Amino acid sequence: MDDRPQNLALSAAEGSSSEETFDNEPSGFEAEQYLSFFYTYKAKYFPFVYIPPTTTAQQLRHDRPILWLCIMTVASRSTPQQQVLGRKIRDTLAQEMMLKSGQTIDLLLGLLTYIGWSNYQIHSKPSLSVFTQLAVSLVYDLGLNRPVPRDNPLVALCIQSHNTPMIPTPRTMEERRAVLGCFLITSIVSSFLQKIDALRWTPHLDECLEVLNEKHESPIDDILVQQVRMQLIVEKVTRGPWNDGAIKTAEHSNVPLCFYLNALQSQLQEVKSKIPPYLKDNEIVLAHFYSTQLTINETVLSSLPSSNNQADFQPVERLYACIESVKSWFEIFFTIPPIAYVGFPFSIFSQLVRCLSTLYRLSILEDPAWERKSVQKTADLLVIFDQVIKNMEQVAAIAGQDNNGSTGEDTFSRTAKMFRSIRPGWEAKLGGLDSETVSTLPTLPVGTDIPLPEVTLTEQVDKDWLMDLFLPPNYQFQ
């Protein structure tokens, strides 16, 4: 519940009027609404920044102008305005990073906002990998990945007027959240794109995580702590010896895959046991948990040929565990009302796509030891897919998304349309299976069939196709 100032007209009129204005800029009243909207619907999903409830949009713009701009962009429900503000963000980031050599916490917070909700900039042609690497570079430049130096010789050169050396300020909670948030989102993007590295974890980040866990100035700090703990396990999967890009030694090659997977599962269960009681049923934490669980178990999909020779490895059990993780993830997902989808960051969209693609692969997997019908009985792909499409199609109207004056569509309408376009291919591939299902997930009411375009889908879900959820077909690097 947002407890920000309710007199939006008054708070919008406060402060200086000397701020630089630009085309399609939110009015003072709109800015207060957008900040409240961000605080209520979005911040909890990716809680890398804490904005006190007493902070007005005018104050935020004065103190953190780049963060303000990025929040206005991702919180706007006008697609044309999002497009204009998105271009303004890219121009601002280019000026700060390249021309002004800006190295500020405001710039980092703005970048994290832009990357965190990059799925809403569907017509701005962003480069996730480029902006992600910019954020990592900025963390290094700001020194947020290491402790504040105590005896730095350069400090002696910084002399105040009374000839006293300047003492470095201690690491702030804002900085700790920012560096943990940077690790979280860069790891998520890295895991999804599989082309870039996440921010490297350091002992100082361990300290930041522990401090945030102890102080938790905001309830959403606890969510960030749980997300980061789980994402550290995802990073271990990504860097595991079974991956092509991982460094493999003779010692590692002789260790059974099940050893690693069991160890990671134990670590995940340990993380779960430490979740605060009031977050045990939190949909954000649970979604991240089941997504992490899926990441661990689905390694067998790429390891089946080689792992079949290991007598102590049971890939079929892992595959069934994948199905249970996907089923559990969607059960959590469907408890979230469509109006709340407006808060979804890139991470939720990537989890959604991963769960759908994994379920599709398992539904068509051909192996003598694998019963495809059991997949349908546990988690019916088409039933789930239809429910996702139905929910996505409702968001624009329920949440008041405005596409008037835009050449494109909002994220949710576009996602629903893309899902509808590939559904016939999936249905055709699954046509040989028994249509009877006892899925425990919500079913769709019987209605008039909607004509669908003819689309051929390859059996291996293409990562380039998945990226189309976030980038338009004519995407080019700028």
Side-chain angles (χ1 to χ4, degrees):
M1 185 75 177
D2 187 10
D3 53 355
R4 295 181 178 279
Q6 297 302 307
N7 191 342
L8 298 181
L10 177 60
S11 59
E14 293 176 347
S16 171
S17 61
S18 61
E19 304 288 352
E20 178 187 356
T21 60
F22 50 88
D23 292 340
N24 223 334
E25 174 183 333
S27 66
F29 185 78
E30 285 178 328
E32 296 298 337
Q33 286 186 318
Y34 292 172
L35 180 59
S36 177
F37 184 80
F38 179 84
Y39 183 88
T40 302
Y41 288 99
K42 294 182 179 292
K44 61 184 178 181
Y45 285 101
F46 181 33
F48 70 95
V49 62
Y50 172 60
I51 303 173
T54 55
T55 302
T56 65
Q58 182 65 36
Q59 291 170 333
L60 181 64
R61 185 176 189 180
H62 179 269
D63 297 338
R64 296 283 185 263
I66 300 177
L67 174 61
W68 173 88
L69 174 62
C70 293
I71 287 178
M72 295 299 104
T73 304
V74 302
S76 172
R77 279 170 283 181
S78 166
T79 302
Q81 187 177 52
Q82 282 186 350
Q83 293 171 346
V84 173
L85 295 181
R87 289 191 291 270
K88 176 66 175 178
I89 288 177
R90 294 193 299 281
D91 292 343
T92 301
L93 293 178
Q95 292 174 3
E96 294 292 330
M97 295 293 292
M98 307 302 178
L99 302 181
K100 298 182 181 179
S101 299
Q103 297 179 4
T104 65
I105 188 67
D106 179 36
L107 181 58
L108 177 60
L109 294 175
L111 265 173
L112 294 179
T113 305
Y114 188 63
I115 299 168
W117 284 272
S118 56
N119 42 303
Y120 292 86
Q121 290 294 311
I122 57 176
H123 292 295
S124 61
K125 302 181 181 180
S127 168
L128 276 180
S129 59
V130 170
F131 283 111
T132 300
Q133 290 305 301
L134 284 177
V136 171
S137 176
L138 189 53
V139 165
Y140 292 147
D141 291 340
L142 293 171
L144 299 182
N145 62 318
R146 59 183 185 272
V148 176
R150 295 181 178 180
D151 300 318
N152 192 330
L154 295 178
V155 174
L157 300 177
C158 303
I159 306 298
Q160 295 178 333
S161 58
H162 46 74
N163 296 326
T164 301
M166 297 178 62
I167 301 176
T169 58
R171 181 71 69 223
T172 65
M173 293 296 287
E174 181 181 52
E175 292 171 333
R176 295 184 192 278
R177 289 188 192 92
V179 71
L180 292 173
C182 186
F183 164 77
L184 177 62
I185 191 59
T186 58
S187 177
I188 291 171
V189 172
S190 172
S191 177
F192 190 77
L193 297 183
Q194 299 182 353
K195 294 180 180 179
I196 59 175
D197 292 328
L199 174 68
R200 186 175 298 276
W201 189 262
T202 66
H204 182 60
L205 268 67
D206 269 324
E207 177 190 335
C208 290
L209 187 61
E210 185 61 28
V211 171
L212 196 66
N213 183 50
E214 292 177 355
K215 292 189 176 182
H216 48 80
E217 294 178 342
S218 164
I220 61 176
D221 283 347
D222 289 334
I223 295 179
L224 178 60
V225 169
Q226 309 313 316
Q227 288 177 320
V228 170
R229 285 175 174 172
M230 295 178 197
Q231 198 62 33
L232 281 169
I233 297 175
V234 173
E235 275 296 293
K236 292 180 181 179
V237 176
T238 303
R239 298 177 181 277
W242 49 82
N243 286 329
D244 293 337
I247 299 177
K248 300 180 181 180
T249 65
E251 179 183 359
H252 284 160
S253 62
N254 293 328
V255 178
L257 176 60
C258 65
F259 174 85
Y260 290 101
L261 299 185
N262 289 336
L264 293 174
Q265 284 285 14
S266 297
Q267 292 173 26
L268 181 59
Q269 290 302 319
E270 182 180 359
V271 170
K272 185 179 182 181
S273 69
K274 295 180 180 179
I275 297 175
Y278 82 97
L279 286 179
K280 292 288 186 180
D281 297 322
N282 181 274
E283 69 275 10
I284 302 169
V285 174
L286 287 176
H288 211 110
F289 173 81
Y290 291 121
S291 176
T292 304
Q293 193 177 68
L294 175 61
T295 300
I296 295 172
N297 288 312
E298 72 173 354
T299 56
V300 301
L301 283 173
S302 58
S303 306
L304 279 174
S306 60
S307 60
N308 280 338
N309 296 325
Q310 300 183 20
D312 56 348
F313 184 60
Q314 299 174 315
V316 174
E317 283 74 8
R318 292 288 176 182
L319 294 179
Y320 280 116
C322 286
I323 294 297
E324 291 298 327
S325 297
V326 170
K327 173 189 173 184
S328 297
W329 190 91
F330 276 109
E331 286 177 338
I332 296 301
F333 181 79
F334 289 135
T335 66
I336 304 173
I339 192 172
Y341 289 13
V342 292
F344 286 174
F346 177 89
S347 58
I348 296 296
F349 270 78
S350 65
Q351 290 174 17
L352 170 63
V353 169
R354 185 168 203 152
C355 286
L356 285 172
S357 61
T358 300
L359 182 55
Y360 171 75
R361 294 172 66 188
L362 292 173
S363 297
I364 65 171
L365 179 64
E366 296 183 4
D367 188 278
W370 183 243
E371 296 184 10
R372 297 193 302 179
K373 291 183 179 180
S374 65
V375 179
Q376 188 182 29
K377 292 180 178 180
T378 303
D380 191 306
L381 173 61
L382 295 182
V383 170
I384 291 175
F385 208 22
D386 285 342
Q387 187 67 49
V388 171
I389 293 171
K390 177 185 176 183
N391 289 2
M392 288 289 176
E393 289 175 335
Q394 296 178 39
V395 176
I398 295 176
Q401 296 291 131
D402 180 14
N403 295 319
N404 293 329
S406 171
T407 56
E409 294 178 298
D410 60 273
T411 300
F412 310 99
S413 299
R414 184 169 179 268
T415 299
K417 182 176 293 185
M418 179 172 296
F419 282 169
R420 280 204 176 278
S421 72
I422 64 173
R423 189 189 183 284
W426 283 12
E427 185 175 20
K429 184 64 179 180
L430 296 170
L433 296 178
D434 187 352
S435 59
E436 182 180 357
T437 178
V438 292
S439 173
T440 61
L441 296 169
T443 57
L444 291 177
V446 178
T448 305
D449 291 337
I450 301 176
L452 300 173
E454 293 295 330
V455 175
T456 301
L457 182 69
T458 59
E459 294 187 9
Q460 180 66 36
V461 180
D462 192 354
K463 286 292 181 183
D464 291 337
W465 169 78
L466 299 183
M467 279 305 299
D468 275 345
L469 286 174
F470 311 100
L471 303 176
N474 59 347
Y475 170 78
Q476 294 179 347
F477 287 96
Q478 291 186 346

